Amino acid sequence: MPHDRSRRPGELVFVILLLLASLWLFWQSVLISGFSGLSTPGVFPMLASGVMVISALWILRDTAKRAPDGGGISRFVEQITPLRQVVMLGLVALYVALMPWLGFVVASGVFLIATISFLWRRNFFLTVGISALALGVIYLIFRVAFQVVLPRGTLLQGLF
Amino acid sequence: MEILGFLTLSWFDPSLLFLTAAGTMAGIYVGAIPGLSVTMAASILISFTFKWDVNEALALIAGVYMGGVYGGSRTAILLNIPGAPSAIATAIDGYPMAKRGEAGEAIGLTTVMSVFGGFVGILALALFAPFISKFAIMFTSRDYLLLGMIGILLVGTLSGESFAKGAFAGALGVLIGMVGLDPMTAEGRFTFGTITLMGGIPYVVAMIGFFGVAEAFVQIHSLDLPVIRQKIDRIIPHFSDVKRYFWLALRASGIGTIIGALPGTGGDIAALLAYDDAKRTTKDPDVPFGQGAKEGLIAPEVANNAAVGGAFVPMLTLGIPGDAVTAVIIGALYIHGLKPGPLLLVETPHLFWFIVGNLALANIFLLIFGLTGIKVFTKIVECPKAILIPLIIILSSVGAYAIQNNPVDIYWMLLFGVIGYFLKTYGFQVGPIILGVILGPMMDSNYRRAMIGARGDIGTFLWDFASHPISLVLSIAFLLMLLSQTPVWAALKSLVSRETNLSDQ
């Protein structure tokens, strides 16, 4: 086991969360068919979640042994969830949430322009041009050539 | 004669020929562009191609796989950024060569040698798969359960930060695979009373989430890496070089094929082992290793392409994927209603020979595309990640939606993407998760069949593992692997090394 590095920011909390999730999943597995037999549908989920609980305990032991990171919440935000990540996550969440309403083409167009201008910060018209080009190519390849069904929005029903 | 017809099916059919070529071409770029992985591309492609004819889908995916494994080497040489994990070893000597102005030569040599390795792997597939498959017919449910566990264990131990993290990821994957109605009794598992979850979580969605979206979020961290440009001149390698490194390439092909064929280990490990082997066996290289030795460039590249053919062996004969990409391809086979396993060669031999022929064809295209268009290539790889990342997210969403035309799948994808981001950040690997999702249901049904066969008696069940030769061998292999991860093993090893040291003196 390598002990040469200190904990990553938030690592201990994350591992504890994993352990709690594993315990909850184990409990859910027990609920499937209890301990009524050895070939019931619940046995394998119990085995799998049991492995999760044991390995999570093991990981917790290893993580606890490491030197704490010592940076607190600010270090966590800086390294694990910097603003760029959070904003991107928000944009992606917005994108998938609005897609059924706006439709694939409009939602993706807006998403591309928003994310590329956020991450790239160049000329706005260049961003729009690249977005339009990329979207056009995606549409041609997938909708026209591959015949993939793309989500259509309720807002512009039938149009996109 | 019949076999020959299946073998060359894609060689003479214009549309299959085109798809293989397009797949190989696309694969090279996907493999080369840091941030895009073959696994990512293959999982997205499956969702697009599942309505196609199986031959066409396989032609495209085989091309992407073949091209992608190779493509990683280009960015490794040109930018010192391995485009794929299997090219990590390539960068060690490839980049110093490029810095000396020999980038073109390095790429040319890599291409020719990769194709050589690819052919050795394919040959091994054609020769050994029918033999292994005959043997695998004797496998019982127990053995499949063991094979599944060995596969996940291997991926977990070899790829992650620690064994416990690999085991956790594998078990998590198995559990994701369990969601939905139990296929044996139609009881709900983890459905929480909702209809949405009864059909289970499509594994392609899990793949796209963990490989595509999670990776995109990880990539945001490295947005600002500077781009380095290289001079490209001579590309066709000297014949004397090819001749000189023939034996090295042959040995690396052997390593690649065998490592590729082991369930759970793929091109990345094969490449590292071959590099290590080349380093140990090359007595006096012209240039020291790590400073641009051609041996160090050739060995890993030959091995990772040989591993492609090797990885198909357990996948087609046992239904056990060799690595993450073959895990995705196995998903493609299931989607097309095929059951990879010992009966695949008996029931659908045409498909097996088609795959072999198609891989060979993709390998030929690799040679063509590998030696041409490198100048255009350098321009495309410089595509800023700020544009690439939003595109990955859009492609992933289209892929997740395309499987069942269900927007809920896109939400799943995002959830897996976020979980995957945190798991990756804290040193977990997502490979074992995907292997678990795919192998979980197979292991579950085989476990229960074996248990029912033992009449529900735990004693009989366990005794069966020891009393049947195949099961015994696999059980021992499994236990040894497990043991090798515990402190007991380390203690034993230090004891043995101390004794040998003593006897040496």
Side-chain angles (χ1 to χ4, degrees):
Chain A
M1 277 319 125
H3 288 290
D4 45 358
R5 64 165 183 85
S6 63
R7 280 202 288 267
R8 299 178 179 94
E11 188 164 11
L12 195 63
V13 178
F14 182 72
V15 174
I16 291 171
L17 284 177
L18 285 184
L19 179 63
L20 291 176
S22 311
L23 285 168
W24 179 73
L25 283 169
F26 184 74
W27 173 239
Q28 288 297 322
S29 314
V30 172
L31 288 182
I32 295 172
S33 40
F35 295 94
S36 54
L38 281 168
S39 56
T40 54
V43 176
F44 214 72
M46 265 152 63
L47 287 175
S49 49
V51 171
M52 280 172 76
V53 172
I54 293 168
S55 44
L57 281 170
W58 190 344
I59 299 165
L60 184 63
R61 194 201 62 179
D62 287 346
T63 315
K65 269 190 204 162
R66 292 182 203 283
D69 158 68
I73 294 277
S74 58
R75 195 61 175 273
F76 174 81
V77 170
E78 181 194 315
Q79 286 191 6
I80 314 290
T81 56
L83 188 66
R84 218 155 46 181
Q85 243 84 7
V86 178
V87 172
M88 272 304 281
L89 178 62
L91 287 172
V92 177
L94 218 64
Y95 168 60
V96 301
L98 290 182
M99 198 196 289
W101 183 59
L102 285 174
F104 174 77
V105 176
V106 178
S108 303
V110 174
F111 175 75
L112 274 179
I113 295 171
T115 46
I116 295 178
S117 6
F118 171 66
L119 293 174
W120 207 32
R121 293 167 203 275
R122 297 284 163 90
N123 185 325
F124 180 72
F125 293 103
L126 185 62
T127 305
V128 174
I130 289 174
S131 304
L133 181 72
L135 196 59
V137 172
I138 291 178
Y139 191 82
L140 275 182
I141 294 180
F142 294 113
R143 186 69 201 106
V144 180
F146 282 12
Q147 305 269 306
V148 171
V149 179
L150 300 171
R152 281 184 173 195
T154 44
L155 182 70
L156 303 162
Q157 189 74 49
L159 199 57
F160 289 115
Chain B
M1 200 56 224
E2 207 183 8
I3 289 176
L4 202 66
F6 297 133
L7 208 58
T8 54
L9 184 63
S10 51
W11 298 53
F12 298 112
D13 181 310
S15 73
L16 290 175
L17 197 68
F18 170 76
L19 283 170
T20 313
T24 313
M25 183 83 167
I28 295 177
Y29 284 90
V30 165
I33 296 174
L36 290 182
S37 72
V38 188
T39 330
M40 188 193 274
S43 34
I44 295 175
L45 268 181
I46 286 172
S47 57
F48 295 130
T49 55
F50 77 104
K51 281 188 196 138
W52 294 13
D53 183 61
V54 59
N55 287 354
E56 291 175 353
L58 283 175
L60 190 66
I61 294 169
V64 169
Y65 189 13
M66 213 61 185
V69 168
Y70 157 81
S73 68
R74 284 201 173 170
T75 28
I77 294 170
L78 291 171
L79 310 171
N80 201 20
I81 306 168
S86 54
I88 291 169
T90 317
I92 306 175
D93 280 292
Y95 185 61
M97 274 186 84
K99 275 205 296 199
R100 280 205 310 261
E102 297 166 13
E105 199 187 339
I107 290 179
L109 199 59
T110 308
T111 309
V112 173
M113 289 310 197
S114 289
V115 171
F116 175 81
F119 275 123
V120 174
I122 295 164
L123 195 69
L125 170 67
L127 293 178
F128 296 122
F131 171 73
I132 293 175
S133 145
K134 278 199 189 93
F135 184 65
I137 291 180
M138 292 185 286
F139 280 29
T140 60
S141 317
R142 267 190 316 277
D143 306 320
Y144 279 104
L145 173 64
L146 281 166
L147 277 175
M149 293 199 295
I150 290 174
I152 295 177
L153 197 69
L154 269 175
V155 174
T157 48
L158 292 171
S159 57
E161 203 169 72
S162 77
F163 170 64
K165 286 184 173 172
F168 183 89
L172 174 66
V174 170
L175 222 56
I176 295 174
M178 300 282 108
V179 175
L181 294 185
D182 166 35
M184 279 178 154
T185 61
E187 271 175 77
R189 294 195 279 196
F190 307 106
T191 56
F192 305 103
T194 58
I195 301 172
T196 335
L197 284 172
M198 280 188 183
I201 300 167
Y203 45 82
V204 182
V205 172
M207 284 177 203
I208 296 177
F210 282 120
F211 285 119
V213 180
E215 188 55 36
F217 279 119
V218 172
Q219 297 284 337
I220 297 177
H221 281 299
S222 57
L223 213 52
D224 316 308
L225 283 180
V227 177
I228 311 150
R229 280 159 217 266
Q230 299 291 351
K231 185 170 71 85
I232 312 276
D233 33 29
R234 186 194 163 88
I235 290 163
I236 309 288
H238 299 276
F239 183 69
S240 59
D241 269 350
V242 177
K243 217 168 70 185
R244 183 172 161 202
Y245 298 116
F246 176 79
W247 290 108
L248 174 79
L250 200 65
R251 210 172 49 238
S253 309
I255 296 174
T257 311
I258 293 169
I259 299 296
L262 286 177
T265 52
D268 39 354
I269 293 156
L272 287 170
L273 284 178
Y275 182 83
D276 182 59
D277 171 74
K279 203 173 163 182
R280 276 189 291 108
T281 53
T282 310
K283 290 284 176 291
D284 43 347
D286 295 344
V287 183
F289 276 86
Q291 296 174 21
K294 284 180 183 165
E295 291 89 350
L297 176 75
I298 294 168
E301 276 308 308
V302 170
N304 67 27
N305 274 68
V308 173
F312 271 81
V313 177
M315 181 185 93
L316 292 176
T317 56
L318 303 170
I320 304 284
D323 59 0
V325 187
T326 32
V328 175
I329 295 177
I330 226 172
L333 293 175
Y334 279 129
I335 280 187
H336 285 99
L338 297 162
K339 287 197 185 65
L343 291 178
L344 184 100
L345 261 79
V346 181
E347 286 168 356
T348 49
H350 58 277
L351 195 81
F352 171 75
W353 293 111
F354 168 73
I355 290 175
V356 173
N358 202 48
L359 283 172
L361 182 67
N363 213 19
I364 293 171
F365 279 122
L366 190 63
L367 188 65
I368 300 169
F369 295 139
L371 295 176
T372 52
I374 295 178
K375 296 228 166 87
V376 185
F377 173 88
T378 47
K379 292 273 170 301
I380 294 181
V381 199
E382 287 167 13
C383 170
K385 277 192 184 168
I387 298 174
L388 209 59
I389 291 167
L391 284 177
I392 295 175
I393 298 205
I394 289 194
L395 288 177
S396 303
S397 310
V398 178
Y401 181 80
I403 306 161
Q404 316 187 60
N405 297 340
N406 185 355
V408 177
D409 286 340
I410 306 183
Y411 307 150
W412 275 118
M413 172 201 83
L414 182 57
L415 179 72
F416 286 136
V418 174
I419 297 175
Y421 169 71
F422 281 104
L423 286 173
K424 276 173 181 245
T425 311
Y426 290 118
F428 289 81
Q429 290 285 321
V430 293
I433 305 184
I434 295 305
L435 219 57
V437 176
I438 290 188
L439 294 180
M442 180 281 269
M443 285 158 64
D444 174 43
S445 58
N446 278 307
Y447 158 74
R448 280 152 78 189
R449 238 174 269 146
M451 187 50 99
I452 292 167
R455 294 167 203 276
D457 181 54
I458 187 93
T460 323
F461 178 75
L462 289 178
W463 175 241
D464 280 342
F465 279 95
S467 56
H468 294 77
I470 298 177
S471 311
L472 184 67
V473 172
L474 290 172
S475 304
I476 291 174
F478 177 72
L479 289 176
L480 276 179
M481 275 175 217
L482 208 58
L483 195 71
S484 70
Q485 297 303 322
T486 57
V488 183
W489 187 267
L492 269 176
K493 227 163 78 178
S494 66
L495 200 72
V496 171
S497 63
R498 204 181 320 146
E499 272 177 14
T500 42
N501 280 347
L502 285 176
S503 59
D504 280 350
Q505 283 163 6

